């Protein structure tokens, strides 16, 4: 068949020349593939009318379309259709075979060239054509591999979308389950008001409730119906009790009316009784009925030693004139006192001298009984008079201070023991254990009067004879020989600092009123401290309404601990050594540790409470633990804080007699710590971000002077802080 005939049989091909270079290259490759009939397949489609639009771009890559005009044959080559029928494993084997053949042809061409064959020879050209065919095959396999990859990615993407849809549905279901669980929990945790009602027990309910309410055949198996039935029974009972209450009120009104009538009758009797009492006054005076107790006490008072008698007379006179609540009673063995007053007084000094001489003569013979004799002599020297006085000082709150006065006959001194009776229980505060202790309650009632040693200088020589080193060893048994006790009994010794010309009753009368006021003030101060310590131990600073204006409305720093400590523990603190060296602390003082905290800052305050509080201000020594340890000895601002707390008594005392002084000092210490931390963080902290202690106090100036002192003085009406 001639080539002209072949050309006549070829169909006309309509080409789209507007494609991309990749499209043109694909069409060129398709023309070359038409010569390789073993690797391509054609599908013939008879179309009556074909209208095709070719989009520009890479969509025609790997495709070959031959389109004819109307009523002409169209042959279409589609690699995607071919890809579905091809086996990837076979394509892989074809790829390996093609690569092997291509390598073989290249080797043959190399051999031909090395053997001297020319470049345009027939053998080399034939092998070039075969290599071209293999290259075309490789390109086709490459396209098929990319198409398979794209198809796999599309399938993977579709699968991921399906998984995402299913995951979203799962999340929705889980959210619904969680919502339903919350609703179920709310229903289970719901508390009805009937749960707060104390219903009768089930046994009592079935015994007392009528059958129409209890319904045992229903309620025994159904808890809900049982609860409803018990509520119905409770309602019936309350209705019945309400009726009884109304009847009781009516009966109460009748009884009250009867009581009022009887009161009116009794009040009508009062004028007549008063007339009878007034008419019987001469008879009472004649019979001495109102003065019977006074006469008995006067008879017993005859046997009192002179100091106790002076004290009895002056205390009774003071109670009758100035303090009606003061009472004086005589206690002890009257018969022994009578016998003692009848016995002649022997000279204690002569007796002790004769005993000493006899002891020196018979030392060897009586060596085993010397200790017993000395102990007997000590007891005889420290013997108390059989009678004693009990003075009761009553306060408005119902508390009573009992003072028991004793007279040591051989030492010629008075001693006192105390006991406090309160209307309420005061055992709650641990740190207040020493406040009402009878051994230290009256310490330093007057300045430097500790009551440990006898004020009579002659007793020192008496003690040396019987081997007594100090009277303080016997204070717990005999009482405290305070100087003011001696003066109340009219006794005055040459060892007293201030000598007075008054003696006896005049001396007692001159000290009676002041001493009684001090005693009552001491009791009130200790009771107030006891209540305050109970609050301080619970980290509460009790500030009275009269002292609220001394502090700002908001105080952030707070007391976290309040404990009592001993004198030894106080001396071991490093930041109180300057106080000890200055002699501002005595062993008779009370020592406490207060801890004030705010955030990471921790302020330790060692408090020295003088027994004469509130006359003597408590002394505070400070140590701040924040970004290191600081004290009043190392930083001026802490020294200024100590000055604010320790110096300005007039501002912190509050209403007289100043029982709020200690709590006001602690509250001011908290305020000063707020000012210190807020202004200190502003000056020293240069870091960005929120500060640990935000500025809440209004200050005119945060620092002043070379020492950069902070404004610790609070101005009440204006509400700002300034420097002093």
């Amino acid at each position: 068949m001639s080539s002209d005939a072949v050309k006549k049989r070829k169909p006309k091909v309509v080409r789209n020349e507007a494609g991309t270079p990749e499209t043109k290259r694909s069409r060129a490759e398709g023309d070359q593939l038409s010569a390789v009939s073993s690797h391509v397949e054609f599908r013939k489609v008879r179309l009556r009318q074909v209208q095709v639009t070719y989009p520009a771009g890479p969509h025609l890559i790997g495709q070959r379309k031959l389109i004819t005009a109307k009523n002409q044959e169209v042959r279409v080559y589609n690699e995607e259709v071919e890809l579905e029928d091809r086996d990837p494993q076979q394509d892989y084997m074809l790829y390996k075979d093609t690569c092997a053949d291509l390598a073989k042809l290249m080797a043959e061409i190399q051999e031909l060239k090395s053997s001297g064959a020319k470049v345009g020879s027939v053998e080399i050209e034939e092998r070039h054509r075969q290599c071209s065919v293999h290259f075309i095959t490789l390109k086709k396999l490459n396209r098929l591999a990319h198409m398979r990859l794209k198809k796999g990615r599309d399938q993977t993407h579709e699968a991921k979308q399906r998984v995402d849809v299913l995951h979203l549905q799962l999340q929705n279901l889980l959210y619904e389950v969680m919502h339903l669980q919350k609703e179920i929990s709310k229903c289970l945790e719901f508390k009805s008001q009937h749960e707060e009602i104390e219903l009768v027990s089930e046994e009592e309910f079935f015994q007392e409730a009528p059958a129409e309410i209890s319904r045992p055949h229903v309620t025994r198996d159904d808890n809900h119906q049982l609860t409803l039935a018990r509520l119905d029974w409770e309602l019936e009972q309350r209705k019945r009790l309400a009726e009884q209450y109304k009847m009781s009120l009516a009966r109460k009104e009748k009884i009250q009316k009867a009581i009022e009538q009887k009161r009116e009758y009794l009040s009508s009797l009062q004028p007549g009784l008063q007339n009878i009492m007034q008419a019987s006054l001469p008879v009472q005076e004649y019979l001495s009925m109102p003065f019977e107790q006074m006469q008995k006490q006067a008879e017993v008072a005859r046997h009192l030693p002179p100091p106790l008698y002076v004290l009895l007379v002056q205390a009774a006179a003071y109670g009758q004139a100035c303090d009606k609540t003061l009472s004086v009673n005589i206690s002890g063995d009257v018969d022994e006192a009578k016998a003692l007053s009848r016995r002649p007084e022997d000279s204690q000094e002569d007796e002790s001298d004769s005993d000493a001489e006899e002891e020196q003569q018979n030392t060897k013979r009586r060596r085993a009984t010397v200790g017993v004799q000395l102990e007997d002599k000590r007891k005889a020297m420290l013997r108390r008079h059989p009678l004693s006085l009990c003075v009761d000082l009553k306060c408005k709150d119902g508390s009573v201070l009992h003072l028991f006065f004793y007279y040591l006959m051989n030492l010629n001194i008075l001693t006192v023991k105390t006991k406090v009776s309160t209307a309420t229980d005061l055992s709650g505060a641990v740190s207040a254990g020493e406040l009402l202790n009878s051994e230290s309650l009256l310490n330093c009632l007057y300045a430097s009067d500790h009551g440990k040693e006898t004020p009579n200088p002659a007793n020192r020589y008496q003690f040396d004879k019987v081997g007594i080193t100090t009277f303080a060893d016997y204070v717990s048994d005999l009482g405290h020989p305070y100087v003011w006790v001696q003066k109340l009994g009219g006794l005055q010794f040459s060892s007293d600092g201030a000598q007075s010309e008054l003696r006896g009753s005049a001396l007692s009368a001159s000290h009676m009123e002041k001493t009684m006021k001090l005693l009552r003030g001491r009791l009130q101060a200790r009771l107030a401290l006891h209540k305050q310590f109970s609050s301080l131990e619970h980290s509460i600073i009790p500030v009275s309404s009269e002292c609220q204006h001394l502090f700002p409305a908001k105080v952030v720093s707070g007391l976290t601990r309040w404990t009592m400590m001993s004198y030894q523990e106080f001396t071991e603190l490093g930041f109180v050594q300057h106080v000890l060296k200055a002699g501002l602390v005595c062993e008779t003082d009370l020592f406490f540790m207060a801890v004030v905290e705010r955030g990471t800052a921790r302020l330790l305050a060692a408090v020295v409470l003088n027994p004469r509080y509130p006359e003597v201000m408590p002394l505070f020594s400070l140590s701040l633990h924040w970004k290191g340890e600081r004290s009043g000895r190392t930083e001026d601002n802490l020294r200024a804080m100590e000055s604010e707390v320790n110096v300005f008594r007039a501002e912190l005392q509050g209403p007289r007699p100043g029982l709020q002084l200690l709590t006001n000092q602690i509250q001011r210490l908290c305020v000063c710590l707020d000012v210190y931390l807020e202004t200190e963080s502003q000056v020293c902290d240069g870091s960005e971000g929120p500060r640990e202690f935000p500025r809440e106090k209004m200050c005119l100036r945060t620092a002043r002077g070379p020492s950069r002192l902070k404004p610790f003085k609070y101005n009440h009406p204006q509400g700002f802080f300034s420097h002093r």
Side-chain angles (χ1 to χ4, degrees), residues 353-612:
D353 291 342
S354 61
D355 291 341
E357 292 175 357
E358 184 179 357
E359 183 178 356
Q360 291 176 358
Q361 294 175 1
N362 303 318
T363 301
K364 296 181 181 180
R365 187 176 55 187
R366 296 181 296 140
R367 187 180 302 274
T369 60
V370 169
V372 177
Q373 290 182 354
L374 285 177
E375 186 64 27
D376 293 336
K377 291 178 181 180
R378 293 190 191 105
K379 292 181 180 179
M381 182 172 292
L382 300 176
R383 184 183 178 186
R384 296 189 301 200
H385 195 275
L387 298 180
S388 62
L389 288 183
C390 178
V391 179
D392 296 337
L393 283 175
K394 298 181 181 179
C395 296
K396 294 181 180 179
D397 57 355
S399 58
V400 182
L401 175 62
H402 306 280
L403 300 172
F404 303 96
F405 294 93
Y406 305 96
Y407 177 67
L408 304 184
M409 299 179 291
N410 295 324
L411 299 181
N412 191 28
I413 58 174
L414 288 175
T415 61
V416 64
K417 283 188 173 183
T418 60
K419 180 182 177 182
V420 178
S421 301
T422 58
T424 58
D425 186 16
L426 299 178
S427 60
V430 177
S431 60
E434 292 295 324
L435 291 178
L436 299 178
N437 187 1
S438 59
E439 297 297 327
S440 60
L441 178 61
L442 302 182
N443 281 349
C444 298
L445 188 67
Y446 289 87
S448 303
D449 190 3
H450 303 290
K452 296 296 183 181
E453 296 295 336
T454 172
N456 189 355
N459 298 151
R460 179 71 269 164
Y461 301 99
Q462 293 175 305
F463 291 162
D464 293 338
K465 292 180 180 180
V466 295
I468 297 177
T469 57
T470 175
F471 188 77
D473 298 334
Y474 304 90
V475 163
S476 58
D477 296 329
L478 301 177
H480 293 265
Y482 295 112
V483 176
W484 58 268
V485 176
Q486 318 307 319
K487 292 182 178 180
L488 291 182
L491 298 175
Q492 186 172 11
F493 305 101
S494 59
S495 62
D496 295 346
Q499 293 292 331
S500 175
E501 297 180 357
L502 301 178
R503 293 292 186 273
S505 299
L507 179 62
S508 176
S510 64
H511 288 80
M512 182 63 66
E513 182 175 3
K514 182 179 179 181
T515 303
M516 292 302 168
K517 289 182 179 179
L518 289 176
L519 290 171
R520 182 174 279 106
R522 174 64 61 87
L523 178 61
Q524 293 175 350
R526 293 300 175 90
L527 292 175
L529 284 175
H530 202 291
K531 295 179 181 178
Q532 294 170 7
F533 284 4
S534 299
S535 300
L536 294 177
E537 288 183 356
H538 293 83
S539 300
I540 300 173
I541 304 176
V543 180
S544 62
S545 57
E546 296 87 353
C547 302
Q548 291 289 345
H549 67 280
L550 300 176
F551 313 103
K554 183 177 181 182
V555 180
V556 183
S557 299
L559 180 70
T560 59
R561 191 179 67 179
W562 175 265
T563 56
M564 186 178 183
M565 57 182 174
S566 63
Y567 176 76
Q568 183 65 27
E569 294 174 346
F570 180 84
T571 56
E572 293 175 357
L573 298 176
F575 58 93
V576 300
Q577 298 304 316
H578 63 288
V579 179
L580 295 172
K581 293 179 181 178
L584 301 177
V585 178
C586 299
E587 293 186 10
T588 56
D589 296 336
L590 301 177
F591 305 93
F592 303 90
M593 176 63 73
V595 180
V596 180
E597 294 183 357
R598 179 180 178 184
T600 58
R602 189 166 181 261
L603 181 64
L604 303 181
V607 184
V608 180
L609 188 66
N610 192 282
R612 298 173 63 195

Side-chain angles (χ1 to χ4, degrees), residues 283-402:
V283 179
Q284 293 182 15
E285 293 179 358
Y286 177 76
L287 298 177
S288 302
M289 293 178 60
F291 305 103
E292 181 179 0
Q293 184 178 0
M294 295 179 63
Q295 286 182 351
K296 289 182 179 181
Q297 185 167 327
E299 291 178 0
V300 176
R302 294 171 53 189
H303 305 286
L304 286 173
L308 289 181
Y309 184 82
V310 171
L311 178 58
L312 171 66
V313 173
Q314 295 300 326
Y318 174 79
Q320 185 178 1
C322 303
D323 190 353
K324 300 296 183 181
T325 61
L326 186 143
S327 61
V328 185
N329 297 313
I330 302 175
S331 59
D333 191 346
V334 180
D335 295 334
E336 185 179 355
K338 291 180 180 179
L340 186 63
S341 61
R342 287 195 299 267
R343 189 174 61 189
E345 297 182 358
D346 298 329
S347 175
Q348 181 67 23
E349 184 176 356
D350 296 339
E351 182 180 353
S352 61
D353 291 342
S354 61
D355 291 341
E357 292 175 357
E358 184 179 357
E359 183 178 356
Q360 291 176 358
Q361 294 175 1
N362 303 318
T363 301
K364 296 181 181 180
R365 187 176 55 187
R366 296 181 296 140
R367 187 180 302 274
T369 60
V370 169
V372 177
Q373 290 182 354
L374 285 177
E375 186 64 27
D376 293 336
K377 291 178 181 180
R378 293 190 191 105
K379 292 181 180 179
M381 182 172 292
L382 300 176
R383 184 183 178 186
R384 296 189 301 200
H385 195 275
L387 298 180
S388 62
L389 288 183
C390 178
V391 179
D392 296 337
L393 283 175
K394 298 181 181 179
C395 296
K396 294 181 180 179
D397 57 355
S399 58
V400 182
L401 175 62
H402 306 280

Side-chain angles (χ1 to χ4, degrees), residues 84-95:
E84 296 177 356
D85 299 333
R86 294 178 69 92
D87 187 8
Q89 189 65 28
Q90 293 180 0
D91 288 345
Y92 175 67
M93 298 304 297
L94 178 60
Y95 166 74

Side-chain angles (χ1 to χ4, degrees), residues 48-266:
R48 291 191 176 275
Q49 185 175 0
V50 179
Q51 184 176 358
V52 182
T53 303
Y54 292 93
H59 301 284
L60 296 180
I61 296 176
Q63 298 182 2
R64 177 69 184 270
K65 295 185 179 181
L66 303 178
I67 304 173
T68 62
K70 185 178 181 182
N71 298 327
Q72 291 188 3
E73 182 180 358
V74 177
R75 291 182 298 171
V76 179
Y77 168 65
N78 193 340
E79 284 186 347
E80 295 180 356
V81 177
E82 180 185 3
L83 182 65
E84 296 177 356
D85 299 333
R86 294 178 69 92
D87 187 8
Q89 189 65 28
Q90 293 180 0
D91 288 345
Y92 175 67
M93 298 304 297
L94 178 60
Y95 166 74
K96 292 178 66 176
D97 295 340
T98 303
C99 291
D101 294 341
L102 186 59
K104 183 179 180 182
L105 290 173
M106 292 296 181
E108 291 176 359
I109 293 173
Q110 181 67 23
E111 290 178 0
L112 290 174
K113 286 184 179 182
S114 61
S115 62
K118 295 182 179 180
V119 177
S121 62
V122 178
E123 293 83 358
I124 293 176
E125 290 296 331
E126 179 62 26
R127 286 170 174 76
H128 282 175
R129 284 193 296 274
Q130 292 178 6
C131 288
S132 299
V133 172
H134 287 314
F135 276 121
I136 292 172
T137 302
L138 291 176
K139 295 180 70 174
K140 177 179 179 62
L141 292 174
N142 183 45
R143 289 195 304 275
L144 292 176
H146 282 288
M147 293 173 64
R148 285 193 183 96
L149 179 61
K150 181 177 180 301
K151 184 177 180 181
R153 288 177 177 174
D154 294 341
Q155 291 176 355
T156 303
H157 181 66
E158 292 177 359
K160 285 183 178 180
Q161 287 183 340
R162 289 195 298 271
V163 171
D164 291 341
V165 172
L166 293 176
H167 186 266
L168 181 60
Q169 293 177 357
L170 176 61
Q171 294 296 326
N172 292 336
L173 292 175
L174 291 177
Y175 179 78
E176 291 183 7
V177 169
M178 182 177 65
H179 177 69
L180 293 175
Q181 288 178 347
K182 288 183 178 180
E183 294 297 326
I184 292 172
S185 300
K186 289 181 181 179
C187 295
L188 293 177
E189 294 175 358
F190 174 77
K191 292 185 178 180
S192 177
Q193 292 184 353
H194 79 278
E195 297 179 0
E196 301 177 358
I197 302 176
E198 295 182 2
L199 302 176
V200 297
S201 62
E202 295 184 8
E203 297 178 358
E204 185 178 353
F205 167 71
F206 285 113
Q207 291 177 0
E208 297 180 357
E212 58 271 11
I213 294 179
S214 61
R215 295 178 297 167
H217 61 283
V218 178
T219 56
R220 289 188 183 276
D221 298 330
D222 192 346
N223 291 331
H224 178 65
Q225 294 296 330
L226 175 61
T227 303
L228 294 178
R230 293 174 68 186
L231 290 174
D232 292 338
W233 176 239
E234 183 70 19
L235 178 61
E236 292 295 332
Q237 286 183 319
R238 294 195 177 193
K239 288 181 179 179
R240 184 174 66 254
L241 292 175
E243 293 295 332
Q244 294 179 1
Y245 176 70
K246 291 180 180 179
M247 296 173 60
S248 298
L249 285 179
R251 188 165 58 254
K252 177 184 175 182
E253 291 178 357
K254 292 181 180 179
I255 295 174
Q256 285 181 344
K257 289 181 179 178
I259 291 174
E260 290 295 332
Q261 292 177 357
K262 292 180 180 180
R263 283 180 178 175
E264 292 177 357
Y265 173 75
L266 292 176

